[in-house]
C-alpha cells in the first residue's frame, strides 16, 4: 500500500515542565513565556502555517491550559478592541490564529521523553507523514522557510528529514548529533546515525538536531516499542535511528539562525535577537543595549 506523501499535520510537544526557567514557569507554561510580544509557541505555529501545515496537534500536559486559551478566539477582548477602534491590534489577534477546526490537543500523562510525547499524537496523525516542531527552538531561516523546504524534500522523495546546524563541540551533550552517511557538505546530508546527547569526545560530528522534523508515519512502529534510551527517557532520536535502518533519512542544514529559549540565557538572547530584527524596536533598543554593555563592562552591577 502506498503511503500519502503530502505533509499536512504538525505535532507540537508542549508538555515539558520548563524547570530550567523556574520560577517563571511555576504557574505559566514555558511555551507561553514571551519573546518580544509573542509567546514562544506562536513562533513555531506561525512557522508551520507559513510552511503549509493545515492541522496543529499539541501534546500538552498538566497546567498547560493557557496554550489552549491562546489558540482560541477571545471574543470579549475582540469586542473591546473593536469598540475602541483598535483595528491594528484586532488584526494581529485574528491573523495569529490557525483556522477553526484545525487545532487538536492531547495529553502526555507522564514525562517519559520526547519520543513518548510524539507517540501520544499517533491517533491524530494516523498513517500520514507529519512535521514535529519543538517550540523551545526559534528558527529564523535566512532564505525562505527551512521547514517548508524539508516538507518539499519529503513530498518529492518520501524520505524523513530533520533540521541540523553546526554547534561548538563542547555543546554536543545538549543535542541529537548526526553521523553523516558520506559527504556532509551539501544542504541535504544523508544520515547514517544520530546519537542522543553524546560526550564531545564521542560525538560523530558537530551537526546538531535543532527541533524540526518531517517524519514518515513508520516512526510509530518504533515509538510503539517505548524503549528507554539516553537519560532513561523514550527518545525520538532512537526511533529515528531504527527508521534509518529501513528507509533513507536526511538531515537538512539550516541556513539561518536558531535560538534556544529553553534556558534563561537563551530566552534573554532570543528576546534581544528577535527585537533587534524588528524595525519598530531596533532604533530604541540599540542605544539602550550599547549603554547596558558599556556599564556591564565597567563592572557596574546596578540590579544584582
Ligand atoms: C531534544 C532532542 C534532541 C534535539 C533537541 C533540539 O532534546 O531530544 O535530539 O537535539 O531537542 O532542541 P531536549 O532539548 O528536549 O533535551
Amino acid at each position: 500500500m502506498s503511503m500519502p506523501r503530502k505533509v499536512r499535520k504538525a505535532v507540537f510537544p508542549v508538555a515539558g515542565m520548563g524547570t530550567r526557567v523556574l520560577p517563571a514557569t511555576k504557574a505559566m507554561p514555558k511555551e507561553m513565556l514571551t519573546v518580544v510580544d509573542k509567546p514562544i509557541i506562536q513562533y513555531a505555529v506561525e512557522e508551520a502555517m507559513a510552511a503549509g501545515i493545515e492541522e496543529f496537534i499539541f501534546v500538552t500536559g498538566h497546567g498547560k491550559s493557557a496554550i489552549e486559551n491562546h489558540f482560541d478566539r477571545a471574543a470579549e477582548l475582540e469586542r473591546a478592541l473593536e469598540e475602541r477602534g483598535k483595528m491594528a491590534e484586532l488584526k494581529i489577534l485574528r491573523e495569529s490564529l490557525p483556522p477553526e477546526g484545525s487545532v487538536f490537543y492531547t495529553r502526555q500523562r507522564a514525562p517519559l521523553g520526547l519520543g513518548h510525547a510524539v507517540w501520544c499524537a499517533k491517533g491524530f496523525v494516523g498513517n500520514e507523514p507529519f512535521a514535529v516542531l519543538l517550540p523551545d527552538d526559534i528558527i529564523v531561516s535566512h532564505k525562505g522557510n527551512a521547514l517548508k523546504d524539508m516538507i518539499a524534500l519529503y513530498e518529492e522523495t518520501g524520505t524523513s528529514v530533520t533540521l541540523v546546524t553546526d554547534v561548538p563541540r563542547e555543546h554536543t551533550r545538549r543535542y541529537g548529533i548526526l553521523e553523516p552517511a558520506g559527504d556532509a557538505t551539501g544542504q541535504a546530508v544523508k544520515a547514517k546515525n544520530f546519537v542522543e546527547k553524546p560526550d564531545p569526545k564521542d560525538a560523530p560530528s558537530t551537526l546538531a538536531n535543532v527541533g524540526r522534523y518531517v517524519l514518515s508515519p513508520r516512526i510509530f512502529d518504533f515509538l510503539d516499542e517505548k524503549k528507554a534510551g539516553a537519560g532513561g527517557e523514550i527518545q525520538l532520536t532512537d526511533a529515528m535511528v531504527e527508521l534509518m535502518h529501513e528507509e533513507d533519512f536526511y538531515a537538512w542544514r539550516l541556513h539561518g539562525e536558531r535560538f534556544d529559549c529553553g534556558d534563561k540565557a537563551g530566552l534573554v538572547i532570543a528576546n534581544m535577537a528577535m527585537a533587534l530584527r524588528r524595525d519598530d524596536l531596533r532604533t530604541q533598543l540599540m542605544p539602550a543595549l550599547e549603554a547596558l554593555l558599556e556599564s556591564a563592562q565597567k563592572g557596574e552591577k546596578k540590579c544584582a
Side-chain angles (χ1 to χ4, degrees):
M1 193 180 68
S2 76
M3 280 204 255
R5 280 280 180 89
K6 183 133 179 60
V7 181
R8 304 183 311 112
K9 300 180 179 181
V11 174
F12 301 83
V14 291
M17 286 186 289
T19 50
R20 287 185 293 162
V21 275
L22 276 168
T25 46
K26 188 178 165 200
M28 167 79 89
K30 71 170 170 179
E31 298 78 12
M32 290 302 295
L33 299 178
T34 46
V35 170
V36 190
D37 54 3
K38 289 188 234 176
I40 293 171
I41 182 66
Q42 193 161 334
Y43 288 89
V45 167
E46 286 179 6
E47 180 190 336
M49 282 162 70
I53 292 297
E54 295 165 11
E55 294 188 11
F56 304 80
I57 303 156
F58 292 84
V59 181
T60 74
H62 189 76
K64 299 280 181 167
S65 51
I67 297 176
E68 296 183 36
N69 293 336
H70 184 72
F71 290 108
D72 190 6
R73 266 190 73 189
E76 213 172 303
L77 175 61
E78 286 189 19
R79 221 171 16 251
L81 291 173
E82 217 159 357
E83 275 164 22
R84 292 173 202 174
K86 294 197 177 263
M87 301 326 268
E89 287 81 355
L90 196 60
K91 190 163 173 268
I92 289 172
L93 276 195
R94 290 192 174 146
E95 280 177 356
S96 62
L97 218 49
E100 191 170 28
S102 69
V103 186
F104 305 88
Y105 298 93
T106 185
R107 278 194 176 198
Q108 185 186 24
R109 293 185 185 166
L112 299 180
L114 177 60
H116 177 255
V118 172
W119 175 85
C120 289
K122 181 180 170 181
F124 283 120
V125 172
N127 193 31
E128 287 187 34
F130 63 106
V132 177
L133 292 89
L134 308 188
D136 274 2
D137 293 311
I138 292 187
I139 303 292
V140 178
S141 300
H142 283 169
K143 57 175 176 56
N145 172 321
L147 183 65
K148 193 171 183 182
D149 295 338
M150 290 162 63
I151 289 174
L153 181 72
Y154 187 99
E155 290 179 349
E156 215 171 283
T157 63
T159 61
S160 298
V161 52
T162 187
L163 192 63
V164 295
T165 196
D166 245 316
V167 297
R169 187 162 275 273
E170 62 269 26
H171 291 172
T172 57
R173 234 182 260 104
R174 302 181 191 171
Y175 304 98
I177 301 289
L178 169 73
E179 181 181 343
D183 174 40
T185 53
Q187 177 147 34
V189 179
K190 190 162 181 224
K192 181 176 179 198
N193 192 15
F194 262 91
V195 186
E196 184 66 14
K197 305 199 169 80
D199 264 7
K201 63 174 177 11
D202 305 324
S205 78
T206 51
L207 285 171
N209 186 314
V210 284
R212 298 293 181 273
Y213 311 78
V214 176
L215 297 169
S216 141
R218 289 198 64 193
I219 195 84
F220 290 117
D221 294 349
F222 309 107
L223 291 174
D224 276 340
E225 293 170 17
K226 303 209 180 121
K227 275 196 273 194
E233 296 191 348
I234 300 168
Q235 298 288 355
L236 181 57
T237 302
D238 295 342
M240 277 162 42
V241 171
E242 292 196 64
L243 181 62
M244 249 165 248
H245 295 149
E246 308 212 352
E247 297 181 355
D248 281 354
F249 199 110
Y250 276 83
W252 186 258
R253 253 178 209 277
L254 172 65
H255 287 314
E257 291 156 88
R258 169 258 179 187
F259 301 101
D260 177 8
C261 304
D263 67 20
K264 292 177 191 181
L267 188 57
V268 175
I269 295 168
N271 267 284
M272 291 192 292
M274 298 313 278
L276 286 170
R277 298 176 65 84
R278 292 257 302 249
D279 294 338
D280 58 334
L281 298 173
R282 195 180 315 108
T283 41
Q284 232 178 310
L285 263 181
M286 291 286 281
L289 280 178
E290 278 162 18
L292 284 171
L293 263 182
E294 207 183 296
S295 97
Q297 273 156 359
K298 282 187 197 142
E300 292 173 23
K301 290 181 185 153
K302 286 186 182 146
C303 46

